[in-house]
Amino acid sequence: MNTSELLKGTLTTIILKLLADNGKMYGYEITQKVKELSGDKILVKEGSLYPALHKLLSDGLVEVETVNIGKRVRKYYYLTPQGQVRKQAQFKELQEFLQTMQHMLFPSLNPQMP
Amino acid sequence: MNTSELLKGTLTTIILKLLADNGKMYGYEITQKVKELSGDKILVKEGSLYPALHKLLSDGLVEVETVNIGKRVRKYYYLTPQGQVRKQAQFKELQEFLQTMQHMLFPSLNPQMP
DNA sequence: TTTTAGTACATAGCTATACAATGTATTAAA
DNA sequence: TTTAATACATTGTATAGCTATGTACTAAAA
């Protein structure tokens, strides 16, 4: 097992969260932000990111705005209203999951389950 | 997305942890313990559990002791020395991952990354 | 006494998802 | 001028948990 297995199911939520926080972001920017926020511990690969973004797009959770930077293309992604709703739901679910795992694995730190 | 996606990469670690804590356990017992410890939030399915246990067995991380309870068969699993080593490593990795996720998603609660 | 729920094992096939490897192209720094 | 960084993308692969299904015993409820 390596961290990438643990990341499963969380990447989409991370993307939605970052877009919610920052308004709009482009792919490469997302990878760098995740790297920064995680203290270099989580490195999102292109082979994970772009398929995930395309899926969000086809699901109508994000929309894209293409910008030309010189001769280079940048695609800014931002949440749709549905995307914002979904973000809330997934964020909460992930939050609860993380807490449940904490309770299960380190019960000493969190004495009583609600 | 449902919780099962989030569980990926964590199930084996949970099993190793439970066996380390309880000495030996059988499959059904593990499912019930996880259910209990997680406050009914994580329900390990047979289709997940038994393949995971068989993998641990073939990897030499656990061994099995078959016990007859009346006419019913019970298979108690317990950690091998390698299993104990692996448990430590995976447990630490999961712990760090959970913390990293907390820092990423709820930075307000955990101000500074080390 | 029959039915239901619970206990206890197991497997075949499915699906989702992150990754490795690879590719194209521009730009800035060494 | 070569290297590293920026910026997009796709193909194929592996992993792992799930659904559905199956067998069989036991205890409680109807």
Side-chain angles (χ1 to χ4, degrees):
Chain A
M1 182 182 69
N2 53 13
T3 315
S4 58
E5 273 312 313
L6 295 172
L7 199 63
K8 287 207 176 177
T10 68
L11 179 56
T12 297
T13 308
I14 290 172
I15 294 173
L16 293 176
K17 154 78 171 164
L18 290 180
L19 294 181
D21 284 358
N22 299 290
K24 59 176 188 175
M25 298 179 84
Y26 56 98
Y28 186 79
E29 190 183 10
I30 292 173
T31 65
Q32 298 308 302
K33 197 71 181 174
V34 170
K35 185 167 182 277
E36 176 201 330
L37 290 175
S38 71
D40 291 7
K41 295 215 180 82
I42 298 179
L43 305 174
V44 178
K45 309 297 164 36
E46 301 98 318
S48 314
L49 180 70
Y50 292 109
L53 285 173
H54 299 337
K55 176 121 200 318
L56 288 173
L57 195 60
S58 74
D59 287 350
L61 302 177
V62 304
E63 279 173 0
V64 71
E65 187 187 73
T66 299
V67 175
N68 292 313
I69 306 291
K71 288 179 184 175
R72 186 178 285 166
V73 172
R74 226 181 237 176
K75 295 191 175 177
Y76 281 96
Y77 293 87
Y78 53 93
L79 295 182
T80 62
Q82 300 123 279
Q84 291 172 29
V85 172
R86 180 69 67 86
K87 180 254 166 185
Q88 286 298 339
Q90 292 206 4
F91 194 67
K92 193 180 168 201
E93 187 186 344
L94 178 54
Q95 187 172 18
E96 284 174 2
F97 176 77
L98 292 175
Q99 262 189 15
T100 299
M101 289 298 293
Q102 298 277 4
H103 281 291
M104 281 204 26
L105 298 173
F106 319 106
S108 52
L109 303 175
N110 323 61
Q112 71 287 13
M113 275 291 279
Chain B
M1 183 181 67
N2 53 13
T3 314
S4 58
E5 274 311 312
L6 295 172
L7 199 61
K8 288 208 176 178
T10 68
L11 179 56
T12 296
T13 308
I14 290 172
I15 294 173
L16 293 176
K17 153 78 172 164
L18 290 180
L19 293 182
D21 285 358
N22 299 290
K24 59 176 186 168
M25 297 179 82
Y26 56 98
Y28 187 79
E29 190 183 8
I30 292 174
T31 65
Q32 297 308 300
K33 197 69 180 174
V34 171
K35 186 168 184 275
E36 177 200 329
L37 290 176
S38 71
D40 291 8
K41 294 214 182 83
I42 298 180
L43 306 174
V44 179
K45 309 297 163 40
E46 300 98 316
S48 313
L49 179 70
Y50 292 111
L53 285 174
H54 299 337
K55 177 124 201 315
L56 287 172
L57 195 60
S58 73
D59 287 352
L61 302 177
V62 302
E63 279 172 0
V64 73
E65 187 187 73
T66 299
V67 175
N68 291 314
I69 305 293
K71 289 180 185 173
R72 185 178 287 165
V73 172
R74 225 180 238 178
K75 295 190 175 177
Y76 281 95
Y77 293 86
Y78 53 92
L79 295 182
T80 61
Q82 299 124 281
Q84 290 172 27
V85 172
R86 179 69 69 85
K87 181 252 165 186
Q88 287 298 340
Q90 292 205 4
F91 195 67
K92 192 181 170 202
E93 187 187 343
L94 179 53
Q95 186 171 17
E96 285 174 1
F97 177 77
L98 292 176
Q99 262 190 15
T100 300
M101 290 297 293
Q102 296 276 4
H103 280 293
M104 280 202 30
L105 298 173
F106 319 106
S108 53
L109 303 174
N110 323 59
Q112 71 286 12
M113 272 292 278

